[in-house]
Amino acid sequence: GAVVSQHPSRVICKSGTSVKIECRSLDFQATTMFWYRQFPKQSLMLMATSNEGSKATYEQGVEKDKFLINHASLTLSTLTVTSAHPEDSSFYICSARPASGGLDTQYFGPGTRLTVL
Amino acid sequence: GNSVTQMEGPVTLSEEAFLTINCTYTATGYPSLFWYVQYPGEGLQLLLKATKADDKGSNKGFEATYRKETTSFHLEKGSVQVSDSAVYFCALSDRANSKLTFGKGITLSVRP
């Protein structure tokens, strides 16, 4: 149980295009989902926290107009990288907190590798 | 702000060797501490956690003790297996907002 999926697992796009990444909780409902970014040999950096049905809360330094987050249901959150540029190339990871779990509980997706040419 | 520092890697060990991965933290208040493991091609999985000083988290033969006096949460295993090969992340959770702060992660390779 407690599986989180991400789609796609890998995406390559041209500079200037937008890319959408999906994060799904497959066997539980998630009131809160988190989006992280990971650079090579670096730690996971929290980008934003999204709660179902409300606007996402972005961490300092993260451009909310560039990284659009939607959490329209209790099992799906999406991250859209708008007008992507090569510096947006990174590994994006989502996690989900179950509605019935403790505040410390997060289940992680396998990540999405974004490459912007 | 909060931060987590892990020892530099990668680490390569022979099967049945003793493992120690160091982790220290800086935080305001009293955070919860975690070790996550990421196997190849998979998402991060919680390995163990401790929520207060002197607590010991344990799972799958791994142990870590919450040391408030040294602000550390070192991961240990007495005898590693090839199947333990993975990336290990130390993390803390701020009690005020439950956000996770991660260390850089360390790659462990265990050879037969």
Side-chain angles (χ1 to χ4, degrees):
Chain A
V3 177
V4 175
S5 69
Q6 282 185 240
H7 178 79
S9 58
R10 190 179 294 265
V11 58
I12 300 172
C13 69
K14 293 182 178 180
S15 186
T17 60
S18 294
V19 174
K20 179 184 284 188
I21 302 170
E22 292 185 348
C23 176
R24 292 182 185 273
S25 57
L26 298 185
D27 49 5
F28 65 96
Q29 293 184 328
T31 49
T32 304
M33 288 185 170
F34 303 87
W35 286 95
Y36 297 85
R37 183 173 178 176
Q38 185 180 26
F39 294 99
K41 299 185 178 181
Q42 299 290 322
S43 62
L44 280 73
M45 302 289 294
L46 180 63
M47 298 175 64
T49 303
S50 73
N51 292 296
E52 187 264 339
S54 63
K55 290 184 178 181
T57 302
Y58 291 81
E59 295 300 301
Q60 191 172 8
V62 177
E63 299 177 60
K64 62 180 181 181
D65 294 330
K66 180 163 192 64
F67 298 100
L68 300 179
I69 292 172
N70 183 276
H71 191 164
S73 78
L74 287 172
T75 59
L76 173 65
S77 177
T78 59
L79 167 68
T80 301
V81 183
T82 62
S83 186
H85 292 283
E87 58 266 28
D88 298 324
S89 298
S90 193
F91 196 57
Y92 293 88
I93 300 172
C94 74
S95 71
R97 176 186 292 158
S100 58
L103 291 177
D104 282 345
T105 303
Q106 291 186 32
Y107 298 107
F108 287 80
T112 297
R113 173 76 60 192
L114 171 63
T115 303
V116 184
L117 302 176
Chain B
N2 298 333
S3 67
V4 176
T5 302
Q6 290 184 234
M7 60 184 278
E8 294 289 326
V11 173
T12 302
L13 295 173
S14 297
E15 201 165 26
E16 299 183 3
F18 183 84
L19 169 72
T20 298
I21 301 178
N22 290 340
C23 172
T24 57
Y25 67 90
T26 302
T28 54
Y30 302 98
S32 294
L33 302 174
F34 306 83
W35 277 100
Y36 282 87
V37 59
Q38 185 176 31
Y39 299 103
E42 299 182 16
L44 275 72
Q45 302 173 24
L46 178 64
L47 180 60
L48 53 84
K49 71 176 186 180
T51 58
K52 61 182 188 296
D54 299 325
D55 266 4
K56 177 186 284 187
S58 61
N59 186 25
K60 300 181 179 179
F62 290 90
E63 293 183 340
T65 301
Y66 191 143
R67 300 289 188 197
K68 181 171 167 245
E69 63 276 12
T70 54
T71 61
S72 65
F73 194 55
H74 304 322
L75 183 68
E76 296 182 336
K77 186 173 185 180
S79 176
V80 294
Q81 305 300 312
V82 173
S83 57
D84 294 326
S85 298
V87 182
Y88 292 81
F89 291 90
C90 185
L92 68 82
S93 174
D94 189 318
R95 291 190 194 277
N97 55 33
S98 298
K99 293 180 182 179
L100 284 171
T101 300
F102 287 88
K104 289 185 178 182
I106 186 169
T107 300
L108 169 67
S109 298
V110 181
R111 52 175 184 251

